Amino acid sequence: MTDTVIIGAGAAGMMAAYAAARRGKQVVMLEKMDQPGRKLRITGKGRCNLTNTAPLKDFLAHVGSDPRFMRNSFSTFFNTQLMDLFEELGVPLVVERGNRVYPKSGKSLDIFLGLVQALEAMPNVEIRKNCRVASLIIDDGQARGVRCADGTSLRADSTVIATGGMSYPLTGSTGDGYRFAEQAGHSLSPRYPALVHLDCDLIPQELVAFVLKNVQLTLTDAAGRKLSEHFGEMTFTETGIGGPIVLSASRMATAPLHRGETVAAHLDFKPAIDAATLDKRLINDLNANGTRLFHDALRLWMPAELIPLALQHLHIEYYKRLNQISGEERRRLLRFLKDFTFALTGTGSFEEAIVTQGGVNLKEVNPKTMESRLVKGLYIVGEVLDLDADTGGYNLQLAFTTGFAAGSNC
């Protein structure tokens, strides 16, 4: 018998354990892998972007599916409190471009060690590794602990589901928490890989791994409605497009794509120049370089790496001279530069997705405490909830805050 049993020793689970143990609760963490925090140790390409210093209103603008759900818990444990906590744990932090917060060492291992060493130093915390949970114990609408796969049971006054989602399954996030939540009677929205590259069928081999900076990516649905718009850096991949703005844009594309709906990508290679101004520049360049061959002159308007893509889609004769370019061909070039449009065909898998989109219905969870509204003493945190956000430290803050809220109330 213990006060609190926590299923999963990732970011949300460890924070829940820390908050509960600090209140004097006897805590047992059950981790099915041989080590806790495996996903935390590789997050942010090993650098761990643990939060973002954006003010609350701006922060919530990066959160779905219902950012209002986080207002109560953010009022007690937000980015400032999280940063203060890690500084207290001996992990110096630094704020970088885009208000992103990292450990000063640049190593995600330091975030993990700061938290796990604090837990190991607490006499009322036990971390059991290689311990797989089979099911919850629920009696008369009250969570009473868990049954483990080895046949043993652990009774507890409160139970926290902190198993993570389905992304990076090799770290242990294989969707167990959704099964436990369904056992407790919770409804789930469909789960999709999010913050992931997007697939298409048009990338010439020469473009693979080429990075474009300062471009604008807009996604639209079948009716032409805007789904998202992001400015910044992107990369061409073997199967489509990736990079920072694509990862963020994917949050709005993954669900419709997995439902078989149409999603189009629009690339603006010249977002700093409006179409009318760029058209005047094209006219001047065409007049000033009339004898140059078209394929050679394309370098005037785009990086050399983009030329194969342009030639593939513009359907303008390769050796045509610029003084022979028609008005329609010029407008075609303008559309390519300002609104290169192509269909997306899918997304990357859970194996490479940073987070899981979808999960436990937020209406069934108390936003102040993360306690289930259906089963007393059951708390649900982190990626198990239908809650995800853009890249930039937002998702880890969600994990830490929901974990802290549960640990402060369980």
Side-chain angles (χ1 to χ4, degrees):
M1 185 71 190
T2 189
D3 293 327
T4 302
V5 60
I6 298 174
I7 313 171
M14 287 193 289
M15 187 59 77
Y18 181 82
R22 208 165 58 168
R23 296 167 51 229
K25 296 290 184 177
Q26 194 72 32
V27 178
V28 178
M29 300 185 70
L30 305 179
E31 171 55 53
K32 73 176 183 180
M33 306 300 285
D34 58 359
Q35 292 292 331
R38 293 185 67 172
K39 185 176 178 182
L40 181 61
R41 283 182 279 172
I42 64 171
T43 188
K45 297 181 179 178
R47 296 191 62 222
C48 193
N49 178 194
L50 74 156
T51 188
N52 192 290
T53 61
L56 180 61
K57 182 179 179 181
D58 295 342
F59 194 107
L60 291 175
H62 291 273
V63 177
S65 56
D66 182 3
R68 296 170 299 177
F69 177 82
M70 293 302 299
R71 283 190 176 274
N72 284 297
S73 51
F74 275 166
S75 67
T76 55
F77 193 77
F78 191 36
N79 45 24
T80 301
Q81 290 83 2
L82 179 66
M83 294 170 68
D84 289 344
L85 173 57
F86 277 103
E87 294 279 358
E88 291 170 12
L89 295 177
V91 185
L93 305 174
V94 62
V95 181
E96 297 186 3
R97 181 173 57 89
N99 300 318
R100 300 173 184 227
V101 181
Y102 295 89
K104 195 171 184 179
S105 65
K107 298 177 180 178
S108 56
L109 182 63
D110 288 348
I111 295 296
F112 163 73
L113 289 176
L115 199 48
V116 78
Q117 287 173 356
L119 292 172
E120 289 172 343
M122 292 176 164
N124 53 335
V125 175
E126 177 188 356
I127 303 176
R128 297 184 187 177
K129 304 167 189 174
N130 297 304
C131 184
R132 185 183 296 270
V133 173
S135 63
L136 304 176
I137 299 174
I138 301 174
D139 295 329
D140 297 324
Q142 173 83 38
R144 301 292 185 183
V146 300
R147 295 183 183 89
C148 298
D150 62 5
T152 62
S153 295
L154 178 61
R155 292 275 174 170
D157 294 328
S158 58
T159 303
V160 181
I161 301 176
T163 56
M166 298 168 67
S167 59
Y168 294 142
L170 290 178
T171 66
S173 298
T174 53
D176 295 342
Y178 304 123
R179 177 166 52 85
F180 302 144
E182 283 186 310
Q183 181 195 346
H186 282 282
S187 57
L188 303 171
S189 60
R191 276 79 68 206
Y192 305 109
L195 302 187
V196 69
H197 82 260
L198 298 172
D199 295 334
C200 60
D201 295 326
L202 57 81
I203 307 303
Q205 190 61 35
E206 301 93 326
L207 267 181
V208 173
F210 177 60
V211 177
L212 278 170
K213 297 184 177 181
N214 302 321
V215 296
Q216 186 160 290
L217 172 66
T218 304
L219 302 185
T220 59
D221 64 12
R225 292 183 293 259
K226 185 188 296 184
L227 298 175
S228 69
E229 187 173 82
H230 292 84
F231 171 84
E233 182 180 301
M234 63 160 279
T235 306
F236 291 101
T237 71
E238 290 187 357
T239 60
I241 54 177
I245 62 173
V246 175
L247 294 182
S248 291
S250 71
R251 285 187 56 244
M252 301 304 296
T254 186
L257 284 172
H258 281 267
R259 290 194 298 259
E261 298 172 12
T262 298
V263 179
H266 305 258
L267 270 177
D268 184 349
F269 297 111
K270 304 284 185 181
I273 309 174
D274 64 75
T277 302
L278 181 57
D279 193 32
K280 290 178 182 178
R281 175 181 161 185
L282 291 178
I283 292 171
N284 290 336
D285 288 341
L286 291 170
N287 290 334
N289 299 272
T291 60
R292 288 184 67 173
L293 299 179
F294 177 69
H295 73 89
D296 172 61
L298 282 173
R299 189 66 184 85
L300 292 169
W301 309 298
M302 65 189 70
E305 291 85 353
L306 272 183
I307 291 177
L309 184 68
L311 291 171
Q312 178 180 318
H313 290 273
L314 287 173
H315 305 295
I316 298 175
E317 291 180 19
Y318 194 78
Y319 287 103
K320 202 168 192 177
R321 298 191 183 278
L322 295 192
N323 56 17
Q324 297 174 318
I325 297 295
S326 69
E328 170 54 32
E329 289 170 330
R330 187 193 80 246
R331 287 187 288 273
R332 215 180 298 162
L333 175 59
L334 177 65
R335 284 195 297 272
F336 176 83
L337 293 172
K338 291 295 294 179
D339 187 18
F340 175 54
T341 304
F342 52 95
L344 297 173
T345 58
T347 75
S349 66
F350 279 113
E351 280 71 17
E352 59 192 86
I354 295 175
V355 297
T356 303
Q357 186 176 93
V360 172
N361 187 336
L362 298 180
K363 294 180 180 178
E364 300 170 359
V365 178
N366 185 324
K368 295 181 180 179
T369 65
M370 303 300 141
E371 185 176 17
S372 165
R373 296 188 189 274
L374 308 183
V375 177
K376 292 182 180 180
L378 180 64
Y379 297 79
I380 306 173
V381 299
E383 274 190 74
V384 187
L385 297 168
D386 182 10
L387 202 61
D388 65 288
D390 292 333
T391 57
Y394 304 102
N395 286 288
L396 260 183
Q397 180 71 61
L398 294 177
F400 285 131
T401 295
T402 55
F404 188 88
S408 299
N409 291 279
C410 65

